[in-house]
Amino acid sequence: MLSASLPPPRPHQAYAIISALEAGRLQLPGALFVDPPPAASWQVPALSFFLRHSVSKATLVFDLGLPSTVREFPPAIKDILKYFEPLITHTAASSLEAGGLDPSTVDQVCCSHVHFDHIGDPAPFTGAEFLVGAGARALLEHAYPDDPQSKIPAGHFPLARTTFLDSADWVPVGPFPRALDLYNDGSVFIVDAPGHMPGHVNLLARTSSDGAWVYLAGDSSHDWSILTGKAKIAHYHVPGTDTHFCAHEDVEQAEEHIGRIRELRALPRVQVLLAHDGPWYNENRGGAAFFPGHLPPL
């Protein structure tokens, strides 16, 4: 049964210390994502986040942003990249190194999904377990050239160290019907976030012991105007062709999930951040919210 509230803190409640990471930037073509589009295109970040558990000190990186090698990716992705230029690549690993942390010491990396602007450069995370939604298994196990239409090159992801998360047995948290209590202490939840693409997940984390939260929404919404209801998910028809494009593979599920995020935002002391959160990035870029600093709890 879904709840109108989030779990209250336990005695000596553990939480996550969360830092934003620079992980590249790209142009967002408005007509492909937002209806009506506020502009032809605008620059957005591909945000990554570093989490450290307050008690165990376990570390996790959520999303990896743009790969530095994205222009060398398979032919199928090269046809798409032109819509997102100019691309500015900056790896999550280099952001950690600049802040004094060796990426090889990170315990886990969770990718919200396996689109090119979220899978970054996994190679420096040599000690990490990778967490990916089970719906993405086939995409990673049959990458290019095994599947000539794949947008991911074979070997990009360390499959031997990847756990595919099956949400079938997950339990509700707040407005979300399926979530995994990652550390079994109510501090960090991986949330099933259907609609965008198979295996898409979000992350809900406490940021204090007394009731503050952050929700990392991945690509559940590409722009705040959709999340606030001022605009809709775009359905784009490529002029002169029979091709139609939508950023979400199942729009009905995506809209339902957006509705749940709206419910979450109405709760006290909850901050929601999008993977391509341009307004937040422009306000906080280079500031204390970025590693080695961290997001202040609400």
Side-chain angles (χ1 to χ4, degrees):
M1 183 175 180
L2 302 185
S3 171
S5 61
L6 292 171
R10 306 171 184 177
H12 312 291
Q13 177 64 60
Y15 57 93
I17 301 161
I18 305 179
S19 307
L21 299 174
E22 291 276 1
R25 284 172 276 160
L26 62 156
Q27 288 291 117
L28 198 72
L32 296 184
F33 292 93
V34 185
D35 179 19
S41 68
W42 57 96
Q43 190 180 78
V44 296
L47 286 170
S48 173
F49 296 91
F50 174 72
L51 290 78
R52 187 186 297 276
H53 191 272
S54 65
V55 177
S56 70
K57 309 306 178 186
T59 54
L60 179 144
V61 171
F62 184 74
D63 272 342
L64 291 176
L66 281 164
S68 58
T69 58
V70 67
R71 292 179 181 86
E72 302 167 18
F73 266 34
I77 194 67
K78 292 179 180 178
D79 294 336
I80 295 173
L81 291 182
K82 62 185 178 183
Y83 294 104
F84 299 94
E85 294 282 3
L87 300 175
I88 300 171
T89 57
H90 185 103
T91 70
S94 64
S95 292
L96 289 172
E97 290 171 337
L101 189 138
D102 183 347
S104 69
T105 65
V106 170
D107 296 309
Q108 293 176 309
V109 173
C110 179
C111 286
S112 65
H113 60 298
V114 296
H115 279 160
F116 76 93
D117 52 331
H118 294 261
I119 59 175
D121 289 350
F125 297 91
T126 55
E129 174 193 18
F130 284 76
L131 306 176
V132 182
R137 180 190 287 270
L139 299 174
L140 293 179
E141 291 183 344
H142 301 285
Y144 182 87
D146 181 32
D147 176 2
Q149 298 305 311
S150 174
K151 301 177 180 66
I152 305 169
H156 183 79
F157 240 78
L159 291 179
R161 289 186 282 119
T162 297
T163 297
F164 292 98
L165 303 171
D166 186 349
S167 64
D169 296 326
W170 293 3
V171 298
V173 62
F176 305 108
R178 292 172 298 278
L180 172 68
D181 187 345
L182 184 61
Y183 300 118
N184 295 309
D185 61 4
S187 62
V188 176
F189 297 87
I190 296 176
V191 176
D192 184 35
H196 180 53
M197 73 171 296
H200 187 232
V201 297
N202 294 168
L203 191 142
L204 174 67
R206 296 182 190 269
T207 53
S208 74
S209 62
D210 65 349
W213 298 82
V214 161
Y215 189 76
L216 306 180
D219 275 2
S220 298
S221 177
H222 290 83
D223 188 76
W224 270 103
S225 61
I226 297 173
L227 198 58
T228 60
K230 294 180 179 179
K232 298 179 181 179
I233 295 170
H235 297 261
Y236 181 72
H237 173 236
V238 180
T241 73
D242 294 328
T243 302
H244 294 263
F245 171 85
C246 182
H248 300 286
E249 295 189 17
D250 188 320
V251 176
E252 183 177 348
Q253 284 194 330
E255 290 176 339
E256 288 178 2
H257 186 65
I258 288 171
R260 295 185 181 109
I261 298 175
R262 291 187 183 124
E263 292 180 45
L264 181 74
R265 287 191 69 217
L267 299 178
R269 302 186 70 187
V270 176
Q271 181 178 16
V272 174
L273 295 175
L274 313 179
H276 304 300
D277 205 323
W280 183 89
Y281 177 78
N282 293 334
E283 182 178 346
N284 291 276
R285 179 184 179 187
F290 282 77
F291 191 75
H294 60 86
L295 278 67
L298 292 182

